[in-house]
PDB file of all heavy atoms in Angstrom:
ATOM      1  N   HIS A  10     111.852  62.137  63.058  1.00 92.00           N
ATOM      2  CA  HIS A  10     111.647  63.686  63.088  1.00 92.00           C
ATOM      3  C   HIS A  10     110.571  63.964  64.212  1.00 92.00           C
ATOM      4  O   HIS A  10     110.751  64.931  65.009  1.00 92.00           O
ATOM      5  CB  HIS A  10     111.014  64.179  61.808  1.00 92.00           C
ATOM      6  CG  HIS A  10     112.085  64.200  60.762  1.00 92.00           C
ATOM      7  ND1 HIS A  10     113.159  65.088  60.785  1.00 92.00           N
ATOM      8  CD2 HIS A  10     112.136  63.528  59.581  1.00 92.00           C
ATOM      9  CE1 HIS A  10     113.828  64.891  59.663  1.00 92.00           C
ATOM     10  NE2 HIS A  10     113.268  63.927  58.913  1.00 92.00           N
ATOM     11  N   LEU A  11     109.527  63.142  64.340  1.00 93.00           N
ATOM     12  CA  LEU A  11     108.441  63.323  65.290  1.00 93.00           C
ATOM     13  C   LEU A  11     108.986  63.206  66.719  1.00 93.00           C
ATOM     14  O   LEU A  11     108.714  63.940  67.641  1.00 93.00           O
ATOM     15  CB  LEU A  11     107.379  62.267  64.965  1.00 93.00           C
ATOM     16  CG  LEU A  11     106.045  62.550  65.771  1.00 93.00           C
ATOM     17  CD1 LEU A  11     105.250  63.752  65.057  1.00 93.00           C
ATOM     18  CD2 LEU A  11     105.162  61.282  65.622  1.00 93.00           C
ATOM     19  N   ASP A  12     109.905  62.176  66.882  1.00 88.00           N
ATOM     20  CA  ASP A  12     110.459  61.879  68.195  1.00 88.00           C
ATOM     21  C   ASP A  12     111.331  63.011  68.730  1.00 88.00           C
ATOM     22  O   ASP A  12     111.560  62.978  69.942  1.00 88.00           O
ATOM     23  CB  ASP A  12     111.134  60.525  68.195  1.00 88.00           C
ATOM     24  CG  ASP A  12     110.183  59.332  67.858  1.00 88.00           C
ATOM     25  OD1 ASP A  12     108.956  59.472  68.237  1.00 88.00           O
ATOM     26  OD2 ASP A  12     110.765  58.381  67.394  1.00 88.00           O
ATOM     27  N   ARG A  13     111.814  63.816  67.811  1.00 84.00           N
ATOM     28  CA  ARG A  13     112.649  64.921  68.288  1.00 84.00           C
ATOM     29  C   ARG A  13     111.889  65.979  69.081  1.00 84.00           C
ATOM     30  O   ARG A  13     112.348  66.682  69.926  1.00 84.00           O
ATOM     31  CB  ARG A  13     113.363  65.628  67.067  1.00 84.00           C
ATOM     32  CG  ARG A  13     114.589  64.908  66.604  1.00 84.00           C
ATOM     33  CD  ARG A  13     115.325  65.840  65.567  1.00 84.00           C
ATOM     34  NE  ARG A  13     115.290  67.151  65.940  1.00 84.00           N
ATOM     35  CZ  ARG A  13     114.791  68.090  65.183  1.00 84.00           C
ATOM     36  NH1 ARG A  13     114.274  67.798  64.031  1.00 84.00           N
ATOM     37  NH2 ARG A  13     114.750  69.341  65.558  1.00 84.00           N
ATOM     38  N   GLY A  14     110.601  66.045  68.834  1.00 87.00           N
ATOM     39  CA  GLY A  14     109.806  67.151  69.442  1.00 87.00           C
ATOM     40  C   GLY A  14     108.545  66.711  70.169  1.00 87.00           C
ATOM     41  O   GLY A  14     107.883  67.625  70.758  1.00 87.00           O
ATOM     42  N   TYR A  15     108.094  65.454  70.031  1.00 94.00           N
ATOM     43  CA  TYR A  15     106.928  65.080  70.743  1.00 94.00           C
ATOM     44  C   TYR A  15     107.141  63.920  71.574  1.00 94.00           C
ATOM     45  O   TYR A  15     107.790  62.899  71.245  1.00 94.00           O
ATOM     46  CB  TYR A  15     105.762  64.702  69.657  1.00 94.00           C
ATOM     47  CG  TYR A  15     105.284  65.843  68.930  1.00 94.00           C
ATOM     48  CD1 TYR A  15     105.774  66.208  67.656  1.00 94.00           C
ATOM     49  CD2 TYR A  15     104.202  66.552  69.397  1.00 94.00           C
ATOM     50  CE1 TYR A  15     105.263  67.300  66.983  1.00 94.00           C
ATOM     51  CE2 TYR A  15     103.672  67.671  68.786  1.00 94.00           C
ATOM     52  CZ  TYR A  15     104.198  67.991  67.482  1.00 94.00           C
ATOM     53  OH  TYR A  15     103.733  69.098  66.820  1.00 94.00           O
ATOM     54  N   ASP A  16     106.727  64.047  72.845  1.00 94.00           N
ATOM     55  CA  ASP A  16     106.907  63.030  73.867  1.00 94.00           C
ATOM     56  C   ASP A  16     105.850  61.955  73.738  1.00 94.00           C
ATOM     57  O   ASP A  16     104.699  62.196  74.179  1.00 94.00           O
ATOM     58  CB  ASP A  16     106.951  63.760  75.224  1.00 94.00           C
ATOM     59  CG  ASP A  16     107.173  62.869  76.419  1.00 94.00           C
ATOM     60  OD1 ASP A  16     107.276  61.590  76.211  1.00 94.00           O
ATOM     61  OD2 ASP A  16     107.221  63.395  77.508  1.00 94.00           O
ATOM     62  N   GLN A  17     106.264  60.829  73.106  1.00 92.00           N
ATOM     63  CA  GLN A  17     105.316  59.649  72.991  1.00 92.00           C
ATOM     64  C   GLN A  17     103.971  59.986  72.324  1.00 92.00           C
ATOM     65  O   GLN A  17     102.891  59.694  72.919  1.00 92.00           O
ATOM     66  CB  GLN A  17     105.033  59.048  74.349  1.00 92.00           C
ATOM     67  CG  GLN A  17     106.308  58.499  75.038  1.00 92.00           C
ATOM     68  CD  GLN A  17     106.098  58.125  76.423  1.00 92.00           C
ATOM     69  OE1 GLN A  17     105.565  58.913  77.228  1.00 92.00           O
ATOM     70  NE2 GLN A  17     106.508  56.932  76.769  1.00 92.00           N
ATOM     71  N   MET A  18     104.028  60.638  71.183  1.00 96.00           N
ATOM     72  CA  MET A  18     102.820  61.117  70.594  1.00 96.00           C
ATOM     73  C   MET A  18     101.791  59.981  70.274  1.00 96.00           C
ATOM     74  O   MET A  18     100.620  60.130  70.568  1.00 96.00           O
ATOM     75  CB  MET A  18     103.064  61.868  69.306  1.00 96.00           C
ATOM     76  CG  MET A  18     101.835  62.565  68.755  1.00 96.00           C
ATOM     77  SD  MET A  18     102.238  63.459  67.231  1.00 96.00           S
ATOM     78  CE  MET A  18     100.873  64.602  67.134  1.00 96.00           C
ATOM     79  N   GLU A  19     102.264  58.874  69.749  1.00 97.00           N
ATOM     80  CA  GLU A  19     101.359  57.845  69.348  1.00 97.00           C
ATOM     81  C   GLU A  19     100.626  57.280  70.594  1.00 97.00           C
ATOM     82  O   GLU A  19      99.459  56.912  70.565  1.00 97.00           O
ATOM     83  CB  GLU A  19     101.905  56.792  68.476  1.00 97.00           C
ATOM     84  CG  GLU A  19     102.764  55.675  69.177  1.00 97.00           C
ATOM     85  CD  GLU A  19     104.134  56.197  69.537  1.00 97.00           C
ATOM     86  OE1 GLU A  19     104.583  57.422  69.254  1.00 97.00           O
ATOM     87  OE2 GLU A  19     104.894  55.423  70.028  1.00 97.00           O
ATOM     88  N   ALA A  20     101.395  57.123  71.673  1.00 97.00           N
ATOM     89  CA  ALA A  20     100.739  56.560  72.963  1.00 97.00           C
ATOM     90  C   ALA A  20      99.668  57.493  73.496  1.00 97.00           C
ATOM     91  O   ALA A  20      98.606  57.085  73.870  1.00 97.00           O
ATOM     92  CB  ALA A  20     101.866  56.415  74.002  1.00 97.00           C
ATOM     93  N   LYS A  21      99.975  58.801  73.386  1.00 98.00           N
ATOM     94  CA  LYS A  21      98.976  59.787  73.845  1.00 98.00           C
ATOM     95  C   LYS A  21      97.749  59.723  72.918  1.00 98.00           C
ATOM     96  O   LYS A  21      96.583  59.827  73.396  1.00 98.00           O
ATOM     97  CB  LYS A  21      99.516  61.237  73.827  1.00 98.00           C
ATOM     98  CG  LYS A  21     100.594  61.437  74.951  1.00 98.00           C
ATOM     99  CD  LYS A  21     101.087  62.879  74.967  1.00 98.00           C
ATOM    100  CE  LYS A  21     102.172  63.075  76.059  1.00 98.00           C
ATOM    101  NZ  LYS A  21     102.577  64.429  76.224  1.00 98.00           N
ATOM    102  N   LEU A  22      97.900  59.610  71.628  1.00 98.00           N
ATOM    103  CA  LEU A  22      96.759  59.612  70.638  1.00 98.00           C
ATOM    104  C   LEU A  22      95.906  58.330  70.924  1.00 98.00           C
ATOM    105  O   LEU A  22      94.774  58.300  70.893  1.00 98.00           O
ATOM    106  CB  LEU A  22      97.233  59.716  69.238  1.00 98.00           C
ATOM    107  CG  LEU A  22      97.658  61.070  68.772  1.00 98.00           C
ATOM    108  CD1 LEU A  22      98.450  61.012  67.432  1.00 98.00           C
ATOM    109  CD2 LEU A  22      96.427  62.000  68.677  1.00 98.00           C
ATOM    110  N   ARG A  23      96.680  57.204  71.138  1.00 98.00           N
ATOM    111  CA  ARG A  23      96.031  55.942  71.416  1.00 98.00           C
ATOM    112  C   ARG A  23      95.092  56.052  72.678  1.00 98.00           C
ATOM    113  O   ARG A  23      94.043  55.521  72.716  1.00 98.00           O
ATOM    114  CB  ARG A  23      97.021  54.796  71.610  1.00 98.00           C
ATOM    115  CG  ARG A  23      96.953  53.730  70.523  1.00 98.00           C
ATOM    116  CD  ARG A  23      97.604  52.432  70.811  1.00 98.00           C
ATOM    117  NE  ARG A  23      98.795  52.534  71.596  1.00 98.00           N
ATOM    118  CZ  ARG A  23      99.918  52.695  71.252  1.00 98.00           C
ATOM    119  NH1 ARG A  23     100.228  52.923  69.941  1.00 98.00           N
ATOM    120  NH2 ARG A  23     101.053  52.768  72.055  1.00 98.00           N
ATOM    121  N   GLY A  24      95.638  56.748  73.688  1.00 98.00           N
ATOM    122  CA  GLY A  24      94.918  56.958  74.916  1.00 98.00           C
ATOM    123  C   GLY A  24      93.595  57.746  74.681  1.00 98.00           C
ATOM    124  O   GLY A  24      92.668  57.663  75.570  1.00 98.00           O
ATOM    125  N   ILE A  25      93.481  58.502  73.630  1.00 98.00           N
ATOM    126  CA  ILE A  25      92.162  59.203  73.412  1.00 98.00           C
ATOM    127  C   ILE A  25      91.447  58.707  72.236  1.00 98.00           C
ATOM    128  O   ILE A  25      90.585  59.268  71.640  1.00 98.00           O
ATOM    129  CB  ILE A  25      92.450  60.750  73.293  1.00 98.00           C
ATOM    130  CG1 ILE A  25      93.530  61.075  72.215  1.00 98.00           C
ATOM    131  CG2 ILE A  25      92.777  61.410  74.582  1.00 98.00           C
ATOM    132  CD1 ILE A  25      93.738  62.555  72.013  1.00 98.00           C
ATOM    133  N   GLY A  26      91.789  57.408  71.803  1.00 98.00           N
ATOM    134  CA  GLY A  26      90.902  56.648  70.902  1.00 98.00           C
ATOM    135  C   GLY A  26      91.374  56.552  69.493  1.00 98.00           C
ATOM    136  O   GLY A  26      90.701  56.027  68.636  1.00 98.00           O
ATOM    137  N   ALA A  27      92.641  57.000  69.132  1.00 98.00           N
ATOM    138  CA  ALA A  27      93.097  56.890  67.855  1.00 98.00           C
ATOM    139  C   ALA A  27      93.586  55.413  67.554  1.00 98.00           C
ATOM    140  O   ALA A  27      94.024  54.785  68.498  1.00 98.00           O
ATOM    141  CB  ALA A  27      94.265  57.834  67.527  1.00 98.00           C
ATOM    142  N   ASP A  28      93.447  54.971  66.279  1.00 98.00           N
ATOM    143  CA  ASP A  28      94.011  53.670  65.942  1.00 98.00           C
ATOM    144  C   ASP A  28      95.318  53.933  65.330  1.00 98.00           C
ATOM    145  O   ASP A  28      95.432  54.210  64.146  1.00 98.00           O
ATOM    146  CB  ASP A  28      93.042  52.994  64.929  1.00 98.00           C
ATOM    147  CG  ASP A  28      93.386  51.538  64.607  1.00 98.00           C
ATOM    148  OD1 ASP A  28      94.535  51.210  64.887  1.00 98.00           O
ATOM    149  OD2 ASP A  28      92.634  50.787  64.076  1.00 98.00           O
ATOM    150  N   ILE A  29      96.404  53.821  66.123  1.00 98.00           N
ATOM    151  CA  ILE A  29      97.701  54.212  65.662  1.00 98.00           C
ATOM    152  C   ILE A  29      98.686  53.322  66.335  1.00 98.00           C
ATOM    153  O   ILE A  29      98.645  53.041  67.568  1.00 98.00           O
ATOM    154  CB  ILE A  29      97.998  55.740  65.941  1.00 98.00           C
ATOM    155  CG1 ILE A  29      99.369  56.161  65.476  1.00 98.00           C
ATOM    156  CG2 ILE A  29      97.814  56.055  67.406  1.00 98.00           C
ATOM    157  CD1 ILE A  29      99.615  57.722  65.501  1.00 98.00           C
ATOM    158  N   GLU A  30      99.663  52.843  65.585  1.00 98.00           N
ATOM    159  CA  GLU A  30     100.802  52.017  66.216  1.00 98.00           C
ATOM    160  C   GLU A  30     102.137  52.288  65.491  1.00 98.00           C
ATOM    161  O   GLU A  30     102.156  52.660  64.331  1.00 98.00           O
ATOM    162  CB  GLU A  30     100.348  50.539  66.143  1.00 98.00           C
ATOM    163  CG  GLU A  30     100.204  49.985  64.748  1.00 98.00           C
ATOM    164  CD  GLU A  30      99.745  48.484  64.748  1.00 98.00           C
ATOM    165  OE1 GLU A  30     100.343  47.787  65.547  1.00 98.00           O
ATOM    166  OE2 GLU A  30      98.927  48.231  63.934  1.00 98.00           O
ATOM    167  N   ARG A  31     103.116  52.071  66.300  1.00 97.00           N
ATOM    168  CA  ARG A  31     104.466  52.190  65.793  1.00 97.00           C
ATOM    169  C   ARG A  31     104.950  50.875  65.366  1.00 97.00           C
ATOM    170  O   ARG A  31     104.821  49.895  66.049  1.00 97.00           O
ATOM    171  CB  ARG A  31     105.375  52.706  66.985  1.00 97.00           C
ATOM    172  CG  ARG A  31     106.823  53.016  66.660  1.00 97.00           C
ATOM    173  CD  ARG A  31     107.621  53.429  67.865  1.00 97.00           C
ATOM    174  NE  ARG A  31     107.223  54.823  68.183  1.00 97.00           N
ATOM    175  CZ  ARG A  31     108.071  55.892  68.053  1.00 97.00           C
ATOM    176  NH1 ARG A  31     109.272  55.646  67.607  1.00 97.00           N
ATOM    177  NH2 ARG A  31     107.634  57.074  68.394  1.00 97.00           N
ATOM    178  N   ILE A  32     105.446  50.868  64.090  1.00 97.00           N
ATOM    179  CA  ILE A  32     105.971  49.570  63.542  1.00 97.00           C
ATOM    180  C   ILE A  32     107.343  49.765  62.988  1.00 97.00           C
ATOM    181  O   ILE A  32     107.765  50.922  62.747  1.00 97.00           O
ATOM    182  CB  ILE A  32     105.085  49.036  62.404  1.00 97.00           C
ATOM    183  CG1 ILE A  32     104.917  50.049  61.328  1.00 97.00           C
ATOM    184  CG2 ILE A  32     103.662  48.658  63.025  1.00 97.00           C
ATOM    185  CD1 ILE A  32     104.174  49.460  60.095  1.00 97.00           C
ATOM    186  N   GLN A  33     108.046  48.742  62.762  1.00 93.00           N
ATOM    187  CA  GLN A  33     109.450  48.768  62.270  1.00 93.00           C
ATOM    188  C   GLN A  33     109.400  48.925  60.783  1.00 93.00           C
ATOM    189  O   GLN A  33     108.681  48.261  60.131  1.00 93.00           O
ATOM    190  CB  GLN A  33     110.280  47.546  62.670  1.00 93.00           C
ATOM    191  CG  GLN A  33     110.543  47.467  64.107  1.00 93.00           C
ATOM    192  CD  GLN A  33     111.565  48.475  64.636  1.00 93.00           C
ATOM    193  OE1 GLN A  33     112.393  48.880  63.810  1.00 93.00           O
ATOM    194  NE2 GLN A  33     111.434  49.038  65.773  1.00 93.00           N
TER     195      GLN A  33
END
């Protein structure tokens, strides 16, 4: 659902210091 409307959200959040990762 997120990928339908946000362009690489977790990568952007990681870039500003969030501890977030995509897993299977």
Side-chain angles (χ1 to χ4, degrees):
H10 287 293
L11 194 73
D12 294 336
R13 278 192 35 241
Y15 289 93
D16 182 352
Q17 299 171 307
M18 188 180 203
E19 79 281 1
K21 289 185 181 183
L22 282 168
R23 245 194 330 270
I25 50 176
D28 187 344
I29 181 169
E30 60 182 318
R31 184 179 285 253
I32 58 172
Q33 289 292 328

